[in-house]
PDB file of all heavy atoms in Angstrom:
ATOM      1  N   TRP K 154     -21.513  13.559  14.233  1.00  0.00           N
ATOM      2  CA  TRP K 154     -21.122  14.126  15.527  1.00  0.00           C
ATOM      3  C   TRP K 154     -20.970  15.640  15.502  1.00  0.00           C
ATOM      4  O   TRP K 154     -21.425  16.340  16.416  1.00  0.00           O
ATOM      5  CB  TRP K 154     -19.812  13.492  16.014  1.00  0.00           C
ATOM      6  CG  TRP K 154     -19.418  13.993  17.374  1.00  0.00           C
ATOM      7  CD1 TRP K 154     -19.921  13.588  18.577  1.00  0.00           C
ATOM      8  CD2 TRP K 154     -18.453  15.010  17.664  1.00  0.00           C
ATOM      9  NE1 TRP K 154     -19.321  14.286  19.600  1.00  0.00           N
ATOM     10  CE2 TRP K 154     -18.415  15.168  19.066  1.00  0.00           C
ATOM     11  CE3 TRP K 154     -17.613  15.800  16.871  1.00  0.00           C
ATOM     12  CZ2 TRP K 154     -17.575  16.078  19.693  1.00  0.00           C
ATOM     13  CZ3 TRP K 154     -16.787  16.711  17.503  1.00  0.00           C
ATOM     14  CH2 TRP K 154     -16.768  16.851  18.894  1.00  0.00           C
ATOM     15  N   VAL K 157     -24.311  17.417  15.836  1.00  0.00           N
ATOM     16  CA  VAL K 157     -24.912  17.305  17.165  1.00  0.00           C
ATOM     17  C   VAL K 157     -24.102  18.112  18.174  1.00  0.00           C
ATOM     18  O   VAL K 157     -24.668  18.773  19.056  1.00  0.00           O
ATOM     19  CB  VAL K 157     -24.999  15.826  17.603  1.00  0.00           C
ATOM     20  CG1 VAL K 157     -25.608  15.715  18.996  1.00  0.00           C
ATOM     21  CG2 VAL K 157     -25.828  15.020  16.606  1.00  0.00           C
ATOM     22  N   ASN K 158     -22.797  18.103  18.031  1.00  0.00           N
ATOM     23  CA  ASN K 158     -21.950  18.867  18.941  1.00  0.00           C
ATOM     24  C   ASN K 158     -22.196  20.368  18.826  1.00  0.00           C
ATOM     25  O   ASN K 158     -21.884  21.126  19.743  1.00  0.00           O
ATOM     26  CB  ASN K 158     -20.474  18.556  18.645  1.00  0.00           C
ATOM     27  CG  ASN K 158     -19.541  19.074  19.714  1.00  0.00           C
ATOM     28  OD1 ASN K 158     -19.724  18.797  20.893  1.00  0.00           O
ATOM     29  ND2 ASN K 158     -18.528  19.819  19.307  1.00  0.00           N
ATOM     30  N   HIS K 160     -25.168  21.755  18.617  1.00  0.00           N
ATOM     31  CA  HIS K 160     -26.596  21.976  18.875  1.00  0.00           C
ATOM     32  C   HIS K 160     -26.859  23.324  19.540  1.00  0.00           C
ATOM     33  O   HIS K 160     -27.887  23.959  19.290  1.00  0.00           O
ATOM     34  CB  HIS K 160     -27.180  20.834  19.720  1.00  0.00           C
ATOM     35  CG  HIS K 160     -26.651  20.768  21.118  1.00  0.00           C
ATOM     36  ND1 HIS K 160     -27.247  21.428  22.170  1.00  0.00           N
ATOM     37  CD2 HIS K 160     -25.580  20.116  21.638  1.00  0.00           C
ATOM     38  CE1 HIS K 160     -26.580  21.174  23.281  1.00  0.00           C
ATOM     39  NE2 HIS K 160     -25.558  20.394  22.990  1.00  0.00           N
ATOM     40  N   ILE K 167     -30.692  19.392  23.432  1.00  0.00           N
ATOM     41  CA  ILE K 167     -30.730  17.932  23.355  1.00  0.00           C
ATOM     42  C   ILE K 167     -31.180  17.335  24.685  1.00  0.00           C
ATOM     43  O   ILE K 167     -31.041  16.131  24.908  1.00  0.00           O
ATOM     44  CB  ILE K 167     -29.371  17.338  22.932  1.00  0.00           C
ATOM     45  CG1 ILE K 167     -28.266  17.696  23.925  1.00  0.00           C
ATOM     46  CG2 ILE K 167     -28.995  17.791  21.529  1.00  0.00           C
ATOM     47  CD1 ILE K 167     -26.960  16.957  23.660  1.00  0.00           C
ATOM     48  N   LEU K 173     -28.971  10.345  22.890  1.00  0.00           N
ATOM     49  CA  LEU K 173     -28.149  11.192  22.031  1.00  0.00           C
ATOM     50  C   LEU K 173     -27.121  11.948  22.861  1.00  0.00           C
ATOM     51  O   LEU K 173     -25.955  12.077  22.463  1.00  0.00           O
ATOM     52  CB  LEU K 173     -29.036  12.168  21.255  1.00  0.00           C
ATOM     53  CG  LEU K 173     -28.348  13.022  20.198  1.00  0.00           C
ATOM     54  CD1 LEU K 173     -27.833  12.170  19.049  1.00  0.00           C
ATOM     55  CD2 LEU K 173     -29.309  14.092  19.666  1.00  0.00           C
ATOM     56  N   LYS K 174     -27.536  12.430  24.012  1.00  0.00           N
ATOM     57  CA  LYS K 174     -26.612  13.156  24.899  1.00  0.00           C
ATOM     58  C   LYS K 174     -25.495  12.229  25.392  1.00  0.00           C
ATOM     59  O   LYS K 174     -24.324  12.626  25.438  1.00  0.00           O
ATOM     60  CB  LYS K 174     -27.372  13.743  26.084  1.00  0.00           C
ATOM     61  CG  LYS K 174     -26.519  14.601  26.995  1.00  0.00           C
ATOM     62  CD  LYS K 174     -27.323  15.156  28.166  1.00  0.00           C
ATOM     63  CE  LYS K 174     -28.247  16.265  27.724  1.00  0.00           C
ATOM     64  NZ  LYS K 174     -28.882  16.957  28.894  1.00  0.00           N
ATOM     65  N   GLU K 175     -25.848  11.000  25.739  1.00  0.00           N
ATOM     66  CA  GLU K 175     -24.835  10.029  26.157  1.00  0.00           C
ATOM     67  C   GLU K 175     -23.856   9.739  25.024  1.00  0.00           C
ATOM     68  O   GLU K 175     -22.644   9.636  25.237  1.00  0.00           O
ATOM     69  CB  GLU K 175     -25.511   8.729  26.609  1.00  0.00           C
ATOM     70  CG  GLU K 175     -26.303   8.849  27.899  1.00  0.00           C
ATOM     71  CD  GLU K 175     -27.084   7.574  28.203  1.00  0.00           C
ATOM     72  OE1 GLU K 175     -26.934   6.577  27.444  1.00  0.00           O
ATOM     73  OE2 GLU K 175     -27.852   7.575  29.182  1.00  0.00           O
ATOM     74  N   TRP K 176     -24.390   9.585  23.823  1.00  0.00           N
ATOM     75  CA  TRP K 176     -23.553   9.327  22.647  1.00  0.00           C
ATOM     76  C   TRP K 176     -22.608  10.490  22.386  1.00  0.00           C
ATOM     77  O   TRP K 176     -21.430  10.295  22.073  1.00  0.00           O
ATOM     78  CB  TRP K 176     -24.455   9.079  21.441  1.00  0.00           C
ATOM     79  CG  TRP K 176     -23.775   9.033  20.108  1.00  0.00           C
ATOM     80  CD1 TRP K 176     -23.172   7.957  19.526  1.00  0.00           C
ATOM     81  CD2 TRP K 176     -23.656  10.110  19.169  1.00  0.00           C
ATOM     82  NE1 TRP K 176     -22.688   8.298  18.290  1.00  0.00           N
ATOM     83  CE2 TRP K 176     -22.970   9.606  18.040  1.00  0.00           C
ATOM     84  CE3 TRP K 176     -24.079  11.433  19.171  1.00  0.00           C
ATOM     85  CZ2 TRP K 176     -22.679  10.405  16.938  1.00  0.00           C
ATOM     86  CZ3 TRP K 176     -23.793  12.228  18.074  1.00  0.00           C
ATOM     87  CH2 TRP K 176     -23.098  11.708  16.972  1.00  0.00           C
ATOM     88  N   LEU K 177     -23.124  11.713  22.520  1.00  0.00           N
ATOM     89  CA  LEU K 177     -22.306  12.901  22.307  1.00  0.00           C
ATOM     90  C   LEU K 177     -21.114  12.907  23.256  1.00  0.00           C
ATOM     91  O   LEU K 177     -19.974  13.154  22.843  1.00  0.00           O
ATOM     92  CB  LEU K 177     -23.165  14.152  22.511  1.00  0.00           C
ATOM     93  CG  LEU K 177     -22.472  15.497  22.323  1.00  0.00           C
ATOM     94  CD1 LEU K 177     -22.014  15.679  20.890  1.00  0.00           C
ATOM     95  CD2 LEU K 177     -23.422  16.630  22.727  1.00  0.00           C
ATOM     96  N   GLU K 178     -21.352  12.619  24.533  1.00  0.00           N
ATOM     97  CA  GLU K 178     -20.271  12.603  25.518  1.00  0.00           C
ATOM     98  C   GLU K 178     -19.328  11.428  25.294  1.00  0.00           C
ATOM     99  O   GLU K 178     -18.117  11.542  25.499  1.00  0.00           O
ATOM    100  CB  GLU K 178     -20.860  12.556  26.932  1.00  0.00           C
ATOM    101  CG  GLU K 178     -21.651  13.792  27.316  1.00  0.00           C
ATOM    102  CD  GLU K 178     -20.833  15.069  27.164  1.00  0.00           C
ATOM    103  OE1 GLU K 178     -19.619  15.037  27.497  1.00  0.00           O
ATOM    104  OE2 GLU K 178     -21.394  16.074  26.704  1.00  0.00           O
ATOM    105  N   ARG K 179     -19.879  10.307  24.865  1.00  0.00           N
ATOM    106  CA  ARG K 179     -19.044   9.135  24.569  1.00  0.00           C
ATOM    107  C   ARG K 179     -18.070   9.451  23.438  1.00  0.00           C
ATOM    108  O   ARG K 179     -16.883   9.088  23.488  1.00  0.00           O
ATOM    109  CB  ARG K 179     -19.934   7.949  24.194  1.00  0.00           C
ATOM    110  CG  ARG K 179     -19.205   6.632  23.987  1.00  0.00           C
ATOM    111  CD  ARG K 179     -20.181   5.491  23.701  1.00  0.00           C
ATOM    112  NE  ARG K 179     -21.125   5.322  24.792  1.00  0.00           N
ATOM    113  CZ  ARG K 179     -22.425   5.584  24.710  1.00  0.00           C
ATOM    114  NH1 ARG K 179     -22.952   6.009  23.563  1.00  0.00           N
ATOM    115  NH2 ARG K 179     -23.216   5.409  25.741  1.00  0.00           N
ATOM    116  N   MET K 180     -18.566  10.124  22.434  1.00  0.00           N
ATOM    117  CA  MET K 180     -17.710  10.519  21.321  1.00  0.00           C
ATOM    118  C   MET K 180     -16.672  11.546  21.764  1.00  0.00           C
ATOM    119  O   MET K 180     -15.494  11.456  21.399  1.00  0.00           O
ATOM    120  CB  MET K 180     -18.569  11.094  20.187  1.00  0.00           C
ATOM    121  CG  MET K 180     -19.457  10.079  19.482  1.00  0.00           C
ATOM    122  SD  MET K 180     -18.540   8.995  18.372  1.00  0.00           S
ATOM    123  CE  MET K 180     -18.115  10.139  17.055  1.00  0.00           C
ATOM    124  N   ARG K 181     -17.097  12.512  22.552  1.00  0.00           N
ATOM    125  CA  ARG K 181     -16.176  13.555  23.028  1.00  0.00           C
ATOM    126  C   ARG K 181     -15.019  12.968  23.829  1.00  0.00           C
ATOM    127  O   ARG K 181     -13.923  13.519  23.854  1.00  0.00           O
ATOM    128  CB  ARG K 181     -16.928  14.554  23.903  1.00  0.00           C
ATOM    129  CG  ARG K 181     -17.745  15.583  23.152  1.00  0.00           C
ATOM    130  CD  ARG K 181     -18.499  16.459  24.127  1.00  0.00           C
ATOM    131  NE  ARG K 181     -19.242  17.516  23.456  1.00  0.00           N
ATOM    132  CZ  ARG K 181     -20.187  18.241  24.033  1.00  0.00           C
ATOM    133  NH1 ARG K 181     -20.502  18.022  25.308  1.00  0.00           N
ATOM    134  NH2 ARG K 181     -20.813  19.185  23.354  1.00  0.00           N
TER     135      ARG K 181
END
Side-chain angles (χ1 to χ4, degrees):
W154 183 79
V157 179
N158 192 53
H160 67 90
I167 60 171
L173 186 66
K174 185 180 286 189
E175 291 173 4
W176 170 85
L177 180 64
E178 295 304 321
R179 185 177 301 112
M180 291 285 289
R181 281 177 177 166

